[in-house]
Amino acid sequence: MARSPLVPRHALPTLLALGVALTGIAVPAEPVRGAEAAPGRYIVVLKEGTDVRSAIQGDGGRPGLQQRLAIRPTHTYAHALRGFAAALDADQVRALEADPSVALVAPDLEVTLEDQQTPAGIRRVKAPQSPAAKIDGVDKHPDRVDADVAVIDTGVQGDHPDLNVVGGVNCAPNSEGIVDPTKWGDVDGHGTHVAGTIGALDDTQGVVGVAPGARIWSVRVFDWTAKGYLSWIICGVDWVTAQRDPADPSKPLIEVANMSLSTPGSDDNACGTTNDDLEHQAICRAVAAGTTYVVAAGNQSTWASTRVPAAYDEVMTVGAIADFDGLPGGLGKSPCYSWGGYDTDDTYADFSNYGKDVDLMAPGKCVWSTYPGSTYKFLSGTSMATPTVAGGAALYKATHPEASPAEVQAALVAGGNHDWDTATERDSYRTRLMNVETFGGGAGFTLWLDRQDGAVGASGGTATYTVQVARGDGNGEDIALSVSGLPAGATAAFANPVLSGLAAINTTLGVTVPAGTTSGVYPLTIKGAGSGQEGENAAEGSLTVDGTAPVVTAPVGRITTGSTLRETAVPVNVRWSARDEGTGLSKLELRLSKDGGEWRTVDTFAPATTSSVRWLTPGHRYRYQIRATDVAGNTGDSAIGSTLAPVARQSSSSAIRYSGAGWKNAYVTSAYGGGTKYASSSGHRATFTFTGRQVAWIAPQNYTRGKADVYVDGLRVATVDLYRSSYAPRRVVFSRAWAQSGTHTLEIRVLGTPSGRPRVDIDAFIVLR
């Protein structure tokens, strides 16, 4: 049986969780040191196919950006990049971002040759604030992070001046099939990039890693074509496990292993013993031997549970966010194009896998790090997020050398926060973003609420809050919770009033308010008291008692021009409006009574919904009512619309009068009534008198159909063109509605134009009474 190759993701994005080499933007080949945004200076990238000169200066009488926005480019680019550089104010930036010819407005970067750059992702996880990282721009050997990290990847450049590479092994054969264990240098670039994020030196050049100066071990498991096999992966894991601490062989020499790779698979919850997963078995033994494994979630935008090793419970799985400025708030501008887009700052990366198997998030879009040739480069992927967490694990091990892999993982997760746009996560787990600020320092804790505002209605009820705790530097002390600020008569209950141990990082709080409580907003304070020496911490929230109910308008039904009938049903667009003066709408409920029967709920909608298409069968009577519920739980009075009674008159109906000798019958199974009448010359008319509140003309459309004038009550109101490039039966080609029911006459006058396609069909008329 042929072996399935394991291919790095930047070489084949559909297979592995490795980073991509970027296209569409120039990436410097030399180190960018001290790169910071230059205030007011921007680079504008134009969309592919846009002529740079015309876009700037205008063309054919159309003013260009220079005239419309008073922009004075300092440089223009037409080869390596299409665009220009300019000094811009905030209004100009906004206008350019909205311009259809512009692909990207990115801040210009100040480039110097003296200082190292602290990449945005390193700043975002607060490595510079970590006492364990000791980042100060000076590479002193005693300050290097005392930890060993294996990069199981494409190899690492051993002599890169910004890395502390101490050795390694090669498990991949050369072109002649020979494996030379000493050839562990990088054959691709991916592994060197990963290594820089983990532990680039704090030395005034290039970049700095999360764990500066950590000892890097290069474990090459991919060949020169960027392919690998399971046997090579297991070779690397086996080698890492074999390396023991010379001073105490019961401990591992290599405390942390980074695996920015993946392949399809799942977790059998038995270390691979029931599904013969050899990689799982090897990793379980490696973890049991003391090494913490940090792995990529994968880049398929799907559940991480479908990829291995991401799905394994024994590893720490990392998903990616986009972070471009090292700060929360969503204000950073993307410095690169990758994975088909620029992405939005502080959001879940569009490529990242997700689900309960993802333990932590870290920046993984447009990550600047070391690269072979002693250079630096942007790469993107969960591969780039993973080494950030591997660096965090190295920091923790350096100050907690006795911690087990499970304790390392618990400490990193417990120290994380939700200081990113968790609403963009594709699941409901609200994964934490790694934060190493407290590693090597005080073991305090911080409280926050996932949602600060709760609400109940006038009839009383319970508002539920999720209380989160970030535990600093492995702080597992008991934290006793309490709440103050409750309205009179209200009670509060925590699901776990005392959070015990590193794994206890959240609980729920229910605040129950009795009926009759005075409406208003009540500030709440949730306090946590540590059992050790760490004191107290508090989170602020609010409780709104809302005594007002939402208001809705009666639903109105209309047949919409451009819609298509089913063979036995008519699409009626039911519309309404709703508003709430208190806590805001929560949901809308649409109810139906058919032919005078009982009311029943037929649909529920999000609060912003204002219409729904319902399918009504002629010969029946329909009434709709809408009612709204607000966030506090108040449900307002229902509003009932008028009866909707659709009546169909097919083309053969005696209610339709045809004038002109040229009307012919066409028997078409796709027609509403099984056939149509049609005419092709002027002077032919179809007249229909009816009583109702709306009428609709139903006809087929095709490239052979022509035009007709439409008269209502003797007045010409429209000219309808039945042309369509492809055949479409049962189309609503015209409709007219009135506020009240009445008797009206609709007349279709065939124009006999244009030449070559003059045909006009009558399939049916639909009346809403």
Side-chain angles (χ1 to χ4, degrees):
M1 180 183 296
R3 294 178 296 179
S4 298
L6 301 174
V7 185
R9 177 163 303 281
H10 70 291
L12 189 54
T14 60
L15 292 183
L16 285 187
L18 298 177
V20 295
L22 305 182
T23 60
I25 186 168
V27 179
E30 295 299 322
V32 176
R33 304 182 180 114
E36 298 290 343
R41 299 174 62 91
Y42 293 86
I43 298 173
V44 179
V45 181
L46 301 175
K47 291 183 178 177
E48 286 294 327
T50 302
D51 181 82
V52 177
R53 182 172 180 178
S54 297
I56 296 173
Q57 299 181 2
D59 184 32
R62 187 176 69 89
L65 296 172
Q66 190 168 346
Q67 290 77 27
R68 288 189 286 117
L69 301 178
I71 292 172
R72 296 178 178 273
T74 57
H75 299 81
T76 58
Y77 316 110
H79 302 288
L81 200 69
R82 304 185 67 80
F84 60 93
L88 305 172
D89 60 29
D91 289 339
Q92 290 171 318
V93 170
R94 283 191 291 269
L96 285 167
E97 289 175 334
D99 193 283
S101 68
V102 174
L104 174 68
V105 181
D108 204 351
L109 298 179
E110 181 180 352
V111 180
T112 65
L113 296 175
E114 296 80 23
D115 302 321
Q116 72 183 0
Q117 178 184 357
T118 304
I122 307 299
R123 300 197 304 273
R124 188 56 187 273
V125 300
K126 299 190 176 180
Q129 286 80 41
S130 169
K134 301 178 182 178
I135 296 175
D136 59 6
V138 180
D139 178 32
K140 300 188 292 287
H141 280 261
D143 287 346
R144 290 184 177 183
V145 173
D146 185 16
D148 293 80
V149 183
V151 177
I152 302 175
D153 212 291
T154 63
V156 178
Q157 180 188 336
D159 60 351
H160 197 294
D162 214 3
L163 295 173
N164 181 22
V165 183
V166 294
V169 70
N170 172 43
C171 293
N174 61 20
S175 59
E176 298 176 350
I178 299 172
V179 178
D180 182 346
T182 67
K183 301 296 185 181
W184 45 258
D186 201 339
V187 294
D188 176 85
H190 186 274
T192 300
H193 194 278
V194 165
T197 300
I198 295 170
L201 299 176
D202 184 21
D203 61 356
T204 76
Q205 68 172 325
V207 296
V208 64
V210 177
R215 294 178 292 276
I216 301 296
W217 296 86
S218 171
V219 181
R220 182 158 78 85
V221 294
F222 292 93
D223 67 13
W224 77 104
T225 66
K227 287 196 305 184
Y229 290 95
L230 178 60
S231 58
W232 306 353
I233 304 294
I234 293 175
C235 165
V237 174
D238 185 70
W239 184 87
V240 170
T241 308
Q243 310 310 304
R244 312 309 295 172
D245 187 340
D248 184 355
S250 67
K251 298 179 179 180
L253 173 65
I254 299 173
E255 292 97 344
V256 180
N258 186 102
M259 294 182 72
S260 290
L261 51 85
S262 81
T263 192
S266 61
D267 186 355
D268 69 345
N269 298 311
C271 277
T273 58
T274 65
N275 63 351
D276 296 328
D277 185 341
L278 301 182
E279 181 183 13
H280 196 181
Q281 293 178 28
I283 288 177
C284 279
R285 293 189 181 99
V287 172
T291 300
T292 298
Y293 272 71
V294 185
V295 308
N299 300 338
Q300 292 76 29
S301 297
T302 188
W303 296 99
S305 58
T306 64
R307 308 293 295 185
V308 295
Y312 302 157
D313 289 340
E314 296 75 22
V315 302
M316 196 180 319
T317 301
V318 184
I321 70 165
D323 178 82
F324 307 128
D325 58 3
L327 298 169
L331 300 178
K333 300 290 185 180
S334 175
C336 74
Y337 180 94
S338 66
W339 290 97
Y342 292 101
D343 228 325
T344 302
D345 192 44
D346 288 340
T347 63
Y348 207 91
D350 47 16
F351 51 76
S352 181
N353 289 349
Y354 48 84
K356 67 180 180 63
D357 286 298
V358 179
D359 299 297
L360 273 175
M361 306 300 296
K365 190 74 179 267
C366 302
V367 176
W368 184 253
S369 188
T370 49
Y371 206 71
S374 302
T375 61
Y376 301 82
K377 192 173 186 177
F378 283 119
L379 291 181
S380 294
T382 53
S383 282
M384 285 55 256
T386 304
T388 303
V389 175
L395 279 183
Y396 192 75
K397 282 292 290 187
T399 54
H400 301 78
E402 301 301 321
S404 68
E407 290 168 339
V408 173
Q409 178 171 337
L412 264 67
V413 172
N417 58 49
H418 286 161
D419 205 6
W420 64 284
D421 189 358
T422 57
T424 61
E425 196 165 3
R426 296 179 181 88
D427 54 48
S428 60
Y429 295 104
R430 297 179 68 87
T431 310
R432 294 188 173 201
L433 174 69
M434 189 182 79
N435 178 8
V436 299
E437 181 178 12
T438 63
F439 286 9
F445 63 90
T446 302
L447 297 181
W448 78 92
L449 300 177
D450 272 348
R451 183 173 58 85
Q452 292 181 308
D453 53 334
V456 296
S459 60
T462 300
T464 302
Y465 305 80
T466 299
V467 183
Q468 299 280 356
V469 179
R471 294 176 174 271
D473 201 33
N475 173 21
E477 68 175 330
D478 291 352
I479 301 173
L481 300 173
S482 62
V483 59
S484 61
L486 301 175
T491 59
F494 291 94
N496 294 301
V498 178
L499 299 176
S500 301
L502 262 181
I505 57 175
N506 54 53
T507 189
T508 58
L509 164 65
V511 177
T512 301
V513 177
T517 300
T518 303
S519 297
V521 179
Y522 296 84
L524 302 180
T525 300
I526 293 86
K527 290 184 179 180
S531 61
Q533 304 299 317
E534 306 307 329
E536 290 187 342
N537 194 273
E540 302 299 326
S542 66
L543 171 68
T544 299
V545 179
D546 182 1
T548 62
V551 177
V552 295
T553 60
V556 176
R558 292 287 185 265
I559 301 172
T560 305
T561 300
S563 58
T564 301
L565 273 64
R566 294 175 180 169
E567 292 185 358
T568 59
V570 178
V572 175
N573 189 27
V574 178
R575 297 176 295 174
W576 62 83
S577 64
R579 61 184 175 83
D580 183 73
E581 302 296 337
T583 51
L585 296 172
S586 173
K587 68 174 182 178
L588 298 161
E589 182 182 6
L590 184 66
R591 309 184 78 211
L592 166 67
S593 171
K594 183 178 179 181
D595 295 329
E598 293 184 357
W599 290 100
R600 61 185 180 89
T601 299
V602 293
D603 226 331
T604 57
F605 301 100
T609 308
T610 58
S611 66
S612 174
V613 174
R614 317 308 301 181
W615 292 92
L616 278 54
T617 303
H620 295 278
R621 294 176 294 109
Y622 301 81
R623 292 195 80 182
Y624 288 96
Q625 66 172 242
I626 192 79
R627 63 184 182 186
T629 302
D630 64 18
V631 172
N634 299 305
T635 298
D637 294 334
S638 297
I640 303 175
S642 301
T643 298
L644 301 174
V647 176
R649 294 290 181 257
Q650 297 169 0
S651 59
S652 58
S653 172
S654 60
I656 306 172
R657 292 181 291 107
Y658 295 95
S659 60
W663 286 100
K664 299 178 181 180
N665 292 316
Y667 300 100
V668 185
T669 58
S670 61
Y672 182 76
T676 70
K677 281 186 178 293
Y678 70 92
S680 300
S681 58
S682 62
H684 288 80
R685 302 181 183 183
T687 305
F688 175 52
T689 300
F690 61 92
T691 299
R693 287 181 287 116
Q694 186 178 15
V695 66
W697 167 26
I698 313 303
Q701 291 183 284
N702 202 358
Y703 60 87
T704 62
R705 278 13 180 221
K707 297 181 179 181
D709 280 340
V710 180
Y711 286 74
V712 175
D713 297 334
L715 297 176
R716 187 171 70 86
V717 296
T719 298
V720 174
D721 190 345
L722 298 182
Y723 174 82
R724 187 183 174 98
S725 60
S726 59
Y727 181 68
R730 305 185 305 278
R731 297 280 290 173
V732 179
V733 296
F734 171 83
S735 65
R736 175 58 61 95
W738 295 266
Q740 302 293 330
S741 180
T743 300
H744 303 277
T745 297
L746 176 69
E747 186 174 82
I748 310 301
R749 297 185 183 182
V750 180
L751 296 179
T753 59
S755 176
R757 57 173 185 91
R759 174 173 167 172
V760 171
D761 290 66
I762 306 296
D763 184 346
F765 294 111
I766 304 294
V767 176
L768 274 185
R769 291 180 173 172

